[in-house]
Every structure is written in C-alpha cells, then in structure tokens.
Amino acid sequence: MARTGGFQDDDFWTEFHDFLFSEQRYEQAEELLDTSPLFDLPGGSRVLDLCCGPGVFTVPLARRGHRVTGVDLSPAMLDRARKRSADAGADVTYVRADAREYEAPGGFDVVLNMFTSFGYFEDPADNARVLRTMYACLAPGGTLVLDLAGKELLARKVTPPKVVRRGDGLMVQTDTVLDEWARLRSEWVLVRGERVTRTTLTWFVYSAVELRRMAEEAGFGRVEVFGGFDGRPYDEDAERLVLRAVREA
C-alpha cells in the first residue's frame, strides 16, 4: 500500500494522472478553444497558463498561434507537458514555479487558471496572493479567466462515495465538507491489481460572491461570473464557476 501527500506531492500527480487527465479532458479543451466566447483571443496573444499541468490548454493554445507560457510546480506534470508539446510541434515556454511567486510583471495579455487549480494552499492568504500574482502578470487591459467548481455546485454534488474505473484502475472518492463550507476534503483510494494507493486532498472552496470579492481586492476591475464556458449565467443551471476579470489601465 502506498500513500501520497496531496497536491504538492509529485507522486500524487503520477499515481492519479489517468483519473485527473483523461483523453476526454484534452478533447474538451480543444472544443472549448474553438467554441467558447471566453476564449475568443486576439491572434498572437501572450498567454500564461498558470498551473498548466500536462498542457491540456497550453498545447492547443500554442498550436493556434498564441505565445504561451505554462507554469507549474510539478516536475512530472511539466515533463508530460513538454512531451505533448514536442509531439504536437507546439512552441511553448515551460517554467517550474510556485503560483504564489512566479513573476512576469505585465508580461501577458491573458492569464488562465483552469480545472479548479485554485484554492490549494493551507493559508487562505496564500490563495489571495495567487490572485495578486495573476494580476501582476497581466498587462493593462489584460484578462484573467479562472475556472473552478464553485461552492454552490459542490453543494449539489457532495454525495456518498463515487467510484470511477479507468483502464486497469479503480478509484473510490469520498468527500467531506469542513469548516462550515470553507474547505473540502477528498479521500481517494486507487486500486490497481494488488496495489492500493491512498491520498487525502484538502482545499478551499469559494462561492461566486467570495471569488468576485477576492478578485476585486486583488485589483481587478470588470469582474464577471459565468455558469459555463458558453457564457451562461451563474444560476441554478450552472455547470462551472468561471470568472473573467480585467486588469484595467
């Protein structure tokens, strides 16, 4: 039996990769870049994919002619992203860095933070610091697109354990609400043959109102909240919590 230590443990990203990054997720990214009004970017935009993982959005953005930088803390994820870029003939700059500390003042037209890659740090002040990093990396007039599972959506979906089978692996996920809905704890058990791997993940969850306030406190203006990448309202039919905000001149 093996244990991993959560989001900042490279073993976690390696052991659970197939469950976190299915081929369907890569296909979804391609479709969103082609159809979503939130990704209608000017040609040749300078794009920062913060917490880029294995390049789910980084690679297709580069193939569409944007100048893309992918930043992640995980060497394993960056290795996968570099290989995917090479296989696709995509020119991407990859940087290993902590999302709180990456510096490129005014260096980008767009900053992306996708697939609930926000809220991982134990100190809520560090999560606010990540938003300030995103703000600092944008040129005046630049846009942030931040995507996560909002607290309102999670309240509909926190259910008894869910079971997912992928390839030769079987994963059981059990979610627990903590601190009056400030955080969520997920316990994952992965079984492959006789090998059992366990991990526990805890992160902060945010409502639309909370996330909007944090973005405004980080300096952003023109903050908009959507219920999906098609630009639908954030209401009872929302599928995601997608925030778009602008660093005004």
Side-chain angles (χ1 to χ4, degrees):
M1 179 180 294
R3 290 184 177 274
T4 63
F7 293 120
Q8 298 192 42
D9 185 338
D10 234 28
D11 288 343
F12 164 71
W13 298 107
T14 300
E15 289 285 344
F16 289 91
H17 176 270
D18 293 347
F19 291 87
L20 293 162
F21 302 103
S22 65
E23 282 305 314
Q24 181 181 7
R25 176 158 286 188
Y26 291 96
E27 293 167 4
Q28 179 190 15
E30 295 275 3
E31 181 181 356
L32 290 175
L33 290 175
D34 287 338
T35 63
S36 171
L38 304 184
F39 292 115
D40 185 15
L41 311 181
S45 291
R46 299 168 298 166
V47 181
L48 169 61
D49 188 359
L50 191 63
C51 306
C52 67
V56 177
F57 278 87
T58 322
V59 174
L61 280 165
R63 287 202 293 96
R64 285 162 172 78
H66 300 297
R67 291 170 286 170
V68 187
T69 298
V71 173
D72 206 285
L73 188 60
S74 165
M77 288 293 94
L78 290 172
D79 285 346
R80 289 179 182 270
R82 290 188 180 101
K83 182 179 186 308
R84 201 168 188 94
S85 296
D87 291 345
D91 184 12
V92 179
T93 299
Y94 288 105
V95 179
R96 181 172 183 252
D98 189 306
R100 296 167 294 186
E101 299 171 358
Y102 178 71
E103 293 184 357
F108 297 95
D109 306 304
V110 179
V111 172
L112 303 181
N113 186 255
M114 307 301 295
F115 292 138
T116 311
S117 298
F118 181 76
Y120 290 173
F121 294 106
E122 294 182 9
D123 185 343
D126 282 333
N127 296 316
R129 184 178 171 190
V130 173
L131 274 171
R132 293 196 298 273
T133 295
M134 297 173 184
Y135 180 87
C137 286
L138 283 169
T143 302
L144 165 68
V145 178
L146 192 160
D147 154 59
L148 48 75
K151 189 181 297 187
E152 300 89 346
L153 307 180
L154 290 167
R156 302 198 309 244
K157 297 179 179 180
V158 174
T159 59
K162 66 178 85 171
V163 179
V164 181
R165 184 181 294 277
R166 194 151 290 153
D168 63 349
L170 180 73
M171 189 187 78
V172 180
Q173 177 181 342
T174 305
D175 295 329
T176 304
V177 174
L178 303 176
D179 306 332
E180 300 174 337
W181 270 107
R183 298 184 300 155
L184 195 71
R185 181 178 67 227
S186 276
E187 297 175 81
W188 292 13
V189 179
L190 174 61
V191 180
R192 283 195 174 101
E194 297 183 357
R195 178 180 173 81
V196 179
T197 305
R198 299 176 182 272
T199 194
T200 300
L201 313 168
T202 303
W203 70 99
F204 281 87
V205 293
Y206 300 99
S207 69
V209 170
E210 291 167 333
L211 193 62
R212 175 190 290 276
R213 183 175 63 248
M214 290 176 68
E216 291 171 345
E217 289 174 350
F220 286 99
R222 291 165 50 192
V223 180
E224 301 172 281
V225 174
F226 303 98
F229 290 103
D230 56 1
R232 71 182 63 185
Y234 191 71
D235 57 19
E236 67 276 7
D237 297 319
E239 295 179 348
R240 299 289 294 176
L241 169 51
V242 185
L243 179 141
R244 182 171 65 182
V246 175
R247 175 173 180 171
E248 296 181 324

